Amino acid sequence: MKRVVTALAMILSLLVGTALTGTLSGVGLPAALTRNQMPASPARVPDEPEVRWHDQMPALTLRAVRDQHGRSAFAFDGRTVPPVIRVAPGATLRIRYVNDLPPHSHEQCAGTPCMNMTNLHFHGLVVSPRGRQDDVLNMLAMPGQTLEYSVQVPRDHPPGLYWYHPHPHGESQRQVLDGMSGAMVIEGIDRYVPEVRGLRERVLMLRGRDIEHAADAASLISRVGIPQAPCGAATERPERVFTVNGVVRPAIPLAPGERQFWRIVNASADSYADVQLDGQPLEIVALDGVPLAYRDPQRRTRPAGHVLLPPAGRLEAIVTGPPAGTPTVLRTRCVDTGPDGDANPEMVLADVVPAVQPPLQPHPAPVDERPAVHRPARVADLEKSPPQFVVTFTEDKHGFYINGQKYASDADPMVRVRVGSYQHWRVVNATREVHPFHIHQAHFLAYAENDVRLPQSAWLDTVNVPAGGSVDVIMDFTDPVIRGMSVFHCHLLNHEDKGMMAKILFE
């Protein structure tokens, strides 16, 4: 992966008002893209199907299949479009996951023939890693087999945006790159951010489409407005373009002055999205599924000009329609991922087109009528203490490692932690490319980069670690539901597939 971003500094320092100045002053339209015109008849961004889960429903059936293009896909309700699954806190989500992929594959996965095994990971959910819940180690379906999931969402689970995707070690990248991913919403965010009540909500899934061998690669590159100039020092051609809900550069209707609630998932296998709505601020409500107000009731929203989302990162924000006659796009900016990283060039994600101002919507009945419960974490002393565990990413021509070890299914846990505590961890990147660090079952407070306190700390479940640098985090291991064996890894799924993953035992 080529070119380096000042990882966490971008994802956090750009959340403050100083990041807004350049965008609103007109600097937010790069010259190379100003010349790129909106497609003549852009397709409207589609709403992906929804399932509003309740415990009286029969199990939701998902199938892993080959679609008409020969790619792996989730099939649901007769279509290869994965649903947005909405769940109320306290519910038990039941999914019947059927592996209808062919028994033999001619593709390569992590250097060996693919076996078309699959499973599900419920990314970011604070649920048990034990059987039938978020168990990615033991629940694996070969072609022709079925997995039965029963995921118990705690009553006090943070409301927000999560997602699900396959997590079979060695085959994760191929399946996620093919588009096997869907959004999950834990309902009740309006308890923490009343401002979103009555707003038009959009769930926007950013997926990476592989164009390395596509016959229409040049046309797609032109369509999304990738500049001819390289992104940083990158010289290779782009290998991916982003889609939004499965469409390349769709149109998003937004009336002048209208406020909408956008929930954005970077569901790509290995591409970064530094999202920006040209000329308009992003009013951040939540990051990685955690409302800002969940930890700090005095901070319900925060303005930003753009927000860096690593692979698996999520942003929930209120946006406002630009003045009439002002062309606006949602874009990803150039992301520098290090001397050994892949190019992540800027490109247009979607065109924002004028729409008729909708009538005022009545506030829907709340899904959860309980008062908001806030969980401030008093960890100042822990931040100043030496790290209790250090994660070190390394790589060479043979693979990718954590603390000098490649993942092995029969390995003992690399670390054991006592449930009920907070811990100070340091993640060190001893390579020449950025790695996004992710841990299952838990969130953490990212508060320092390269031994320098960040201007804005944030609770996340995935964070970029700069090339040759480090990130300090406070792990939240306090939830009693997370007992059992789990994992942490690099969320560049090609790296995870090739060894950059390790076990953790919650005791």
Side-chain angles (χ1 to χ4, degrees):
M1 316 259 5
K2 286 207 181 245
R3 305 295 310 153
V4 95
V5 84
T6 52
L8 188 55
M10 281 188 72
I11 201 173
L12 299 176
S13 66
L14 297 178
L15 303 184
V16 298
T18 53
L20 203 55
T21 307
T23 304
L24 299 184
S25 65
V27 179
L29 275 174
L33 292 186
T34 332
R35 298 190 297 271
N36 187 266
Q37 301 299 312
M38 183 190 307
S41 299
R44 294 293 177 97
V45 64
D47 290 324
E48 300 199 328
E50 284 192 354
V51 172
R52 294 185 178 269
W53 174 263
H54 58 80
D55 285 346
Q56 288 70 46
M57 295 173 61
L60 184 159
T61 298
L62 282 179
R63 296 180 181 275
V65 300
R66 283 280 194 234
D67 66 12
Q68 65 270 29
H69 304 292
R71 295 190 290 258
S72 302
F74 284 140
F76 169 73
D77 199 22
R79 302 167 59 199
T80 52
V81 181
V84 177
I85 303 174
R86 295 181 176 271
V87 185
T92 298
L93 173 64
R94 296 188 302 278
I95 297 178
R96 184 171 185 266
Y97 185 42
V98 182
N99 187 350
D100 281 339
L101 293 170
H104 302 288
S105 173
H106 300 293
E107 296 178 277
Q108 292 288 307
C109 290
T112 60
C114 301
M115 295 187 292
N116 282 346
M117 62 181 175
T118 190
N119 62 5
L120 293 177
H121 169 46
F122 304 99
H123 186 112
L125 290 191
V126 186
V127 296
S128 173
R130 289 176 172 161
R132 297 191 65 195
Q133 298 203 59
D134 193 26
D135 179 2
V136 301
L137 297 175
N138 302 301
M139 293 188 72
L140 289 165
M142 298 302 292
Q145 296 179 335
T146 297
L147 298 174
E148 303 282 351
Y149 287 91
S150 182
V151 183
Q152 300 170 21
V153 179
R155 182 77 166 132
D156 59 352
H157 197 288
L161 180 62
Y162 301 88
W163 66 302
Y164 59 94
H165 63 84
H167 205 293
H169 181 69
E171 306 201 21
S172 299
Q173 186 210 22
R174 179 180 63 92
Q175 294 182 21
V176 173
L177 184 59
D178 278 355
M180 296 181 74
S181 57
M184 294 187 69
V185 173
I186 303 300
E187 301 282 25
I189 198 169
D190 59 307
R191 296 165 57 208
Y192 294 87
V193 194
E195 292 90 335
V196 304
R197 291 175 183 159
L199 300 186
R200 168 71 160 89
E201 178 183 315
R202 296 189 185 278
V203 177
L204 305 175
M205 295 289 293
L206 309 183
R207 299 182 178 98
R209 176 178 293 183
D210 191 352
I211 61 169
E212 187 176 7
H213 306 294
D216 59 346
S219 173
L220 289 171
I221 288 171
S222 174
R223 180 179 178 86
V224 299
I226 296 177
Q228 292 184 354
C231 173
T235 56
E236 69 275 9
R237 291 172 56 85
E239 298 178 357
R240 313 273 190 272
V241 297
F242 276 109
T243 64
V244 182
N245 293 0
V247 179
V248 175
R249 194 172 176 173
I252 303 177
L254 180 62
E258 178 191 359
R259 285 160 63 80
Q260 293 186 0
F261 181 33
W262 288 6
R263 312 180 97 161
I264 303 174
V265 183
N266 182 358
S268 66
D270 50 17
S271 298
Y272 297 83
D274 188 3
V275 295
Q276 171 179 298
L277 183 61
D278 285 352
Q280 296 296 112
L282 299 165
E283 194 174 339
I284 298 170
V285 166
L287 293 168
D288 283 5
V290 179
L292 302 185
Y294 183 73
R295 296 288 185 173
D296 183 358
Q298 305 305 314
R299 186 179 62 172
R300 294 204 301 260
T301 64
R302 185 195 304 163
H306 52 104
V307 179
L308 176 66
L309 297 180
R314 284 96 66 213
L315 166 68
E316 296 172 80
I318 298 170
V319 301
T320 302
T326 306
T328 303
V329 300
L330 177 69
R331 75 172 73 250
T332 175
R333 296 151 53 100
C334 164
V335 178
D336 184 350
T337 62
D340 289 344
D342 290 337
N344 273 250
E346 61 181 296
M347 68 183 77
V348 177
L349 300 172
D351 294 285
V352 177
V353 298
V356 176
Q357 179 72 51
L360 291 176
Q361 299 293 318
H363 290 172
V367 173
D368 192 340
E369 296 183 355
R370 296 174 298 158
V373 176
H374 304 278
R375 291 192 59 211
R378 297 174 176 86
V379 293
D381 290 343
L382 197 55
E383 293 174 8
K384 299 172 186 176
S385 67
Q388 292 155 279
F389 184 65
V390 177
V391 177
T392 302
F393 288 147
T394 56
E395 61 184 73
D396 60 26
K397 63 182 180 180
H398 302 293
F400 299 84
Y401 312 85
I402 294 180
N403 293 356
Q405 300 177 38
K406 278 188 178 183
Y407 173 78
S409 60
D410 59 352
D412 291 331
M414 182 173 286
V415 60
R416 298 169 181 259
V417 300
R418 182 67 60 184
V419 175
S421 64
Y422 292 97
Q423 284 195 4
H424 174 191
W425 283 26
R426 176 168 293 159
V427 187
V428 177
N429 182 356
T431 78
R432 288 159 43 91
E433 61 179 310
V434 166
H435 294 283
F437 170 83
H438 170 57
I439 186 167
H440 291 204
Q441 320 326 133
H443 282 76
F444 48 78
L445 176 69
Y447 71 93
E449 182 181 290
N450 296 336
D451 295 317
V452 176
R453 180 83 191 194
L454 290 159
Q456 294 282 353
S457 58
W459 288 91
L460 307 167
D461 62 42
T462 307
V463 66
N464 279 328
V465 189
S470 65
V471 168
D472 283 84
V473 303
I474 302 298
M475 290 287 180
D476 183 356
F477 296 139
T478 61
D479 200 308
V481 307
I482 64 174
R483 298 180 190 277
M485 190 76 77
S486 191
V487 296
F488 54 92
H489 59 88
C490 172
H491 218 287
L492 298 176
L493 294 181
N494 182 43
H495 296 180
E496 180 266 309
D497 281 344
K498 293 180 178 179
M500 199 171 269
M501 183 168 81
K503 295 179 184 177
I504 177 172
L505 180 60
F506 298 114
E507 299 179 306

